[in-house]
Amino acid sequence: MATGKTIYIAVVGVGGVGQAFLGQLAQLQQRLAKKSPPTNLTLILVRRSTKQLSSPDYKPINIGTALAELDKVTTPFPQLIVSVNYLAKAPGKVVLVDNTSDLDFATVYPLVLSKGISIVTPNKKAFSHTFSLWTRIFEAAANGSGPEGNGFVFHESSVGAGLPVLSTLNELVETGDEVIKIEGVFSGTMSFLFNSFQPVAGGGGTFAAEVKKAKDLGYTEPDPRDDLNGLDVARKLTILARIAGLPVESPTSFPVQSLIPAELKDCKSGDEFLAQLPEFDNRMDEVKAKAAKEGKVVRFVGSINVGSKEVKVGLESFDKSHPIAALKGSDNIISFYTKRYGSNPLIIQGAGAGGEVTAMGVTGDLIKVIKLLR
């Protein structure tokens, strides 16, 4: 009977996405163990911001009890580079799953890849920081221009959570289609907010009330300004633009409209911001009324015009029949206008946020790496 191969797994970040991923990893481990020949997924490291659990002899850590064991750890927290060197000495191929949004960690991706360790991650900052970091990551990756023995890197869920946004764009580019324009709603938070603020059927509450509702329902960051500043969408646009061939320097190198009133930028907390936001409702009311007068609705969108090299994020008005206007809940929608698809864009639509769907994108990337590893 074939013994199959063993692949070692390290998980960094066990918050909402990380916990969902561990659940999916346990299911994947069981499925792959039953195949012929089997693939043995062996968890050897789990790390959060202050604690790390690792297997000194590379024996499996039980996925089901890993978090409970991590909570009991009392040993000193090792530096990241120490952990990377530990992974590099494993007796087989290693995949590091980074479920954080840590920029410091992202800057060591090229080193990790050069040691033969593959990376799968939803970390937007890793791929939307400087163009130099983007270049160095893919110069080190075996699925970039790095040597064969280096690790692979996949980051599908850095845009659109579990939606197949990056894989679709990569396929369009790699098969020689000409991408003309990319447009859409890239934030589940902003989708929910504007679908409530100005529904197609009319009505909707004041902007401040809808922001508070979105926060109470868990759609926003603890401080809603982290959504309203537009940078989350700008990071996603930066990633897409780079895949489409535009060397965008950073998420702040193109126009990004912030919905935070200038007077409230320096509020000491999210609660203070929410308390004062109603004083500025008249500004968004005017935007809403102007769109309604034209028979349109206002939405927070991002767009990339490849030909003119224009990237922008902000408010735009759409006819009520437009697919972007008709979104429901917190769905994302991404439209690819290409030479092959002509005037009818290729549209991807669905849940673009949430722990389980984001983890699904990470698990999907892990499966891609497993198939590539020999």
Side-chain angles (χ1 to χ4, degrees), residues 212-256:
K212 185 178 186 307
K213 181 170 79 173
K215 181 179 185 296
D216 291 344
L217 291 171
Y219 284 109
T220 74
E221 295 293 330
D223 187 336
R225 287 175 294 179
D226 292 336
D227 295 295
L228 297 178
N229 64 14
L231 277 177
D232 175 66
V233 176
R235 288 190 181 101
K236 295 170 184 176
L237 266 285
T238 300
I239 294 168
L240 291 170
R242 288 171 176 174
I243 294 173
L246 300 182
V248 174
E249 175 52 33
S250 75
T252 57
S253 61
F254 53 85
V256 178

Side-chain angles (χ1 to χ4, degrees), residues 354-372:
E356 287 292 340
V357 290
T358 302
M360 181 184 76
V362 177
T363 304
D365 280 347
L366 175 58
I367 292 168
K368 291 173 194 169
V369 174
I370 289 168
K371 288 178 180 176
L372 289 167

Side-chain angles (χ1 to χ4, degrees), residues 39-106:
T39 296
N40 306 304
L41 298 184
T42 300
L43 180 66
I44 56 171
L45 182 146
V46 184
R47 180 181 175 103
R48 62 161 60 113
S49 57
T50 57
K51 290 189 176 188
Q52 177 175 296
L53 172 70
S54 60
S55 171
D57 52 4
Y58 301 101
K59 293 289 191 292
I61 295 170
N62 185 302
I63 297 172
T65 59
L67 293 182
E69 289 182 52
L70 180 63
D71 286 339
K72 296 174 187 173
V73 169
T74 56
T75 51
F77 186 58
Q79 288 186 324
L80 185 60
I81 190 63
V82 173
S83 300
V84 169
N85 288 333
Y86 156 78
L87 295 175
K89 293 174 184 172
K93 298 292 187 181
V94 177
V95 183
L96 192 157
V97 182
D98 174 20
N99 293 313
T100 75
S101 59
D102 186 352
L103 179 57
D104 289 338
F105 187 8

